[in-house]
Amino acid sequence: MKKGQQIRSRNLEKKTINGRAKLSAAFILACLMGIGYKVYDLQVNEHAAQYAIAKSNTIKGLSTSPERGDIVDRNGVLIAGTRPMYDLVVIPERLSSYRRDRAKAVDDYLDMLSKFIPILEDEQSRIKKKILQSRSYAKVIVFRDLNQTNLSVALENLGYLEGTSIAVKKVRYYPYKGAFLSPLGYVGRVDADDIKTSSEQGYSVISSDYIGKMGLEDEYNKTLYGVIGKETVALDSRGRVVERKIASRPQKGETLKLTLDADLQIEAHKLMNGKKGAVIIQDIHTGEVLTALSMPDVDPNMFMSAMSQQEVNDLYSNKRPLFNRVARGQYPPASVVKPFMSIAALEGEFIKPESVRWSGPYFTLGGHKFRDWKRDGHGNINMEKAIGISSDVYFYRLADSMGIDYIHDALTSFGFGFKTGINIAGEGDGLLPSSEWKRRVKGEPWYGGETVTVGIGQGFFMATPIQMNNALVTLLNGGVLYKPSMVSGSESEVISKVNLTPSYLDAVKDGMEAVVFSKYGTGRGIRRIAEVDMAGKTGTSQVFSTLGKIDYENDEMPEHLRDHAVWSGYVPMDKPEIAITVFVENGGSGSTVAAPIAQRLANLYAKKYIHKSIDSNKVVKTDSDSPVVSLLNAPLATN
């Protein structure tokens, strides 16, 4: 034995080795048990979750667009339907060598496609980027809404275009172009706000689809859009499509029926002939809207495809075709307010219908002369003649006697000064001034001369065309102020009621009849084209104030400074059924421009409905908070 060498103990070594072996075996066993438990946990406890994850990696869901619901008029006439749209689509993974070199595969595809359909360089770059960023199994739209020429060429050459097909879907179509733009609006491409809004309202839309952007199309998107269809796509381990299956078919949107009359709307559109303005026709017994036309218009079909720069410029020109003048245009109501001034004065006992008042060439107040439209005046006249001949001086005196605050309270009962509630976004309040309003808004006292101008519908007084017509509806039906409705099937909603004395109402109507049927009436010229008797009131709304100091010839003024032409009337004269208001911006005289349009519309209405009785079973919902009031204590409204 060498020096320093330890004596080996085989028993000790064996014992050490055995201990280490046992520890290793225990460790290995623990590991195996842990792995076994994890396998068991994955296979049994987490089977459903892991299966869903695996399935999501191989099964993809695609959405298919639903067909938008139709819109029809009160008689079932289709005013917004659908048409087929043909899109050229490609599935990227079906392009040769797409898996090896995607960019080159797309370039080769576009080179081949351009041999059949011309593609601009910028457009080619956009299409390439779109294909490369899309899922390989998705149908990518290369060209949307092919015209007939490109559609024919594409169909003839599909055999040369890998992975390409023609996708067909139904999209919105307006057969009467711009005639119904003002009530319906239009549809356009879905954007991020649309997706958010639809989700909040409880339905889903496809990002590449179309949705209502304005008017009833926008308000009733949930009703009209429909239900999206679902398609499942099975992929192999390389991401290639091995199976497609329809999970659910898309469901067409519901049909929306309106109170509008297509014939009247189209005729109004034709008669306005591109003039700026608005036409409204309502049923006086329900407040339902038969016509709601704002002019000028554009063809809403153009929003379905890319617009030219000129078309875009036209949308934002000074003609403002997307500005809905029916409810958003605010103008001085002019002389069409004189019947309302008359009924207010009668109910307030400021005058009697038969009372005669001097209507000279001018009315003097505070040393200022407020002139009549007729240089020599009209002499001694009663209320009937004052309305018929549209005397300014008569209504200057009447307004001065009533005072601005009584006028404000009385005319509020007819809906002036606040929104009517019609289904048009952005509706204006108009402006029915009062002394309180002027102190609050302008920090100034009210002056008597301002009351005088309000008496003939000028000065601070502003109203929308729908307010003017809805006020006439209220007057004619004896004091029921309705919320105008354009959608059929809903109950007529009463905003408020006002007590009108029947004899006073008859006196005012006598004056409106005199407008047309007296020898001095300002609207007597329409009798030569009348096929049904119509009564009403003409109006010539001044764009700027002359302060009674200068005369001017309307035709010699720049167009934007010419007077507005107004007519507000009813048909038939002996038993009113509808109220018609025609407003033509910068049109000049209400008697020669607006009234003839209204009469021709009245003629058409008579042909369709004059012999039909009004449905006596219409349900009217009266709000318990809408009391019957008197003009003497009409509530004060703030502006």
Side-chain angles (χ1 to χ4, degrees), residues 453-505:
T453 58
V454 168
I456 62 166
Q458 296 287 164
F460 292 118
F461 198 174
M462 304 289 280
T464 63
I466 186 61
Q467 280 179 331
M468 298 180 204
N469 202 68
N470 207 45
L472 183 57
V473 166
T474 305
L475 179 69
L476 294 171
N477 66 32
V480 181
L481 178 61
Y482 287 108
K483 175 182 176 180
S485 172
M486 292 192 291
V487 178
S488 182
S490 57
E491 298 175 348
S492 296
E493 183 178 342
V494 176
I495 298 173
S496 63
K497 290 185 177 181
V498 60
N499 278 325
L500 298 179
T501 305
S503 61
Y504 292 160
L505 179 55

Side-chain angles (χ1 to χ4, degrees), residues 174-186:
Y174 302 97
Y176 301 106
K177 298 185 177 180
F180 290 90
L181 174 68
S182 39
L184 300 189
Y186 64 92

Side-chain angles (χ1 to χ4, degrees), residues 182-241:
S182 39
L184 300 189
Y186 64 92
V187 300
R189 294 291 298 277
V190 169
D191 57 29
D193 289 338
D194 297 323
I195 295 174
K196 179 181 178 182
T197 301
S198 63
S199 177
E200 291 171 349
Q201 294 179 358
Y203 70 105
S204 300
V205 298
I206 299 175
S207 60
S208 61
D209 217 335
Y210 297 86
I211 199 168
K213 295 289 188 177
M214 190 177 81
L216 295 174
E217 290 275 28
D218 180 26
E219 183 177 352
Y220 286 87
N221 261 325
K222 185 175 181 179
T223 300
L224 293 166
Y225 184 76
V227 180
I228 294 172
K230 297 295 183 181
E231 181 182 5
T232 56
V233 180
L235 308 178
D236 63 12
S237 59
R238 295 185 178 182
R240 293 176 298 191
V241 176

Side-chain angles (χ1 to χ4, degrees), residues 55-62 93 137-138 230-236 239-246:
K55 186 176 180 181
S56 68
N57 290 331
T58 58
I59 304 296
K60 301 294 184 180
L62 298 178
E93 63 138 21
Y137 54 85
K230 297 295 183 181
E231 181 182 5
T232 56
V233 180
L235 308 178
D236 63 12
R240 293 176 298 191
V241 176
V242 294
E243 183 183 2
R244 288 179 179 266
K245 183 178 180 181
I246 295 175

Side-chain angles (χ1 to χ4, degrees), residues 186 298-313 315-316:
Y186 64 92
V298 293
D299 182 356
N301 291 303
M302 71 181 187
F303 291 99
M304 299 303 299
S305 56
M307 289 185 284
S308 68
Q309 187 59 51
Q310 184 58 52
E311 288 174 328
V312 174
N313 293 341
L315 291 179
Y316 300 98

Side-chain angles (χ1 to χ4, degrees), residues 229-293:
K230 297 295 183 181
E231 181 182 5
T232 56
V233 180
L235 308 178
D236 63 12
S237 59
R238 295 185 178 182
R240 293 176 298 191
V241 176
V242 294
E243 183 183 2
R244 288 179 179 266
K245 183 178 180 181
I246 295 175
S248 63
R249 296 187 181 278
Q251 299 177 28
K252 182 176 180 177
E254 298 176 31
T255 296
L256 184 66
K257 186 175 183 179
L258 306 183
T259 64
L260 300 176
D261 181 281
D263 292 330
L264 291 171
Q265 182 85 11
I266 293 165
E267 183 68 8
H269 182 265
K270 176 183 175 182
L271 292 168
M272 287 293 284
N273 194 29
K275 302 183 188 74
K276 290 188 292 185
V279 179
I280 303 98
I281 303 176
Q282 286 176 268
D283 185 325
I284 69 166
H285 301 286
T286 63
E288 291 179 348
V289 179
L290 279 70
T291 297
L293 176 72

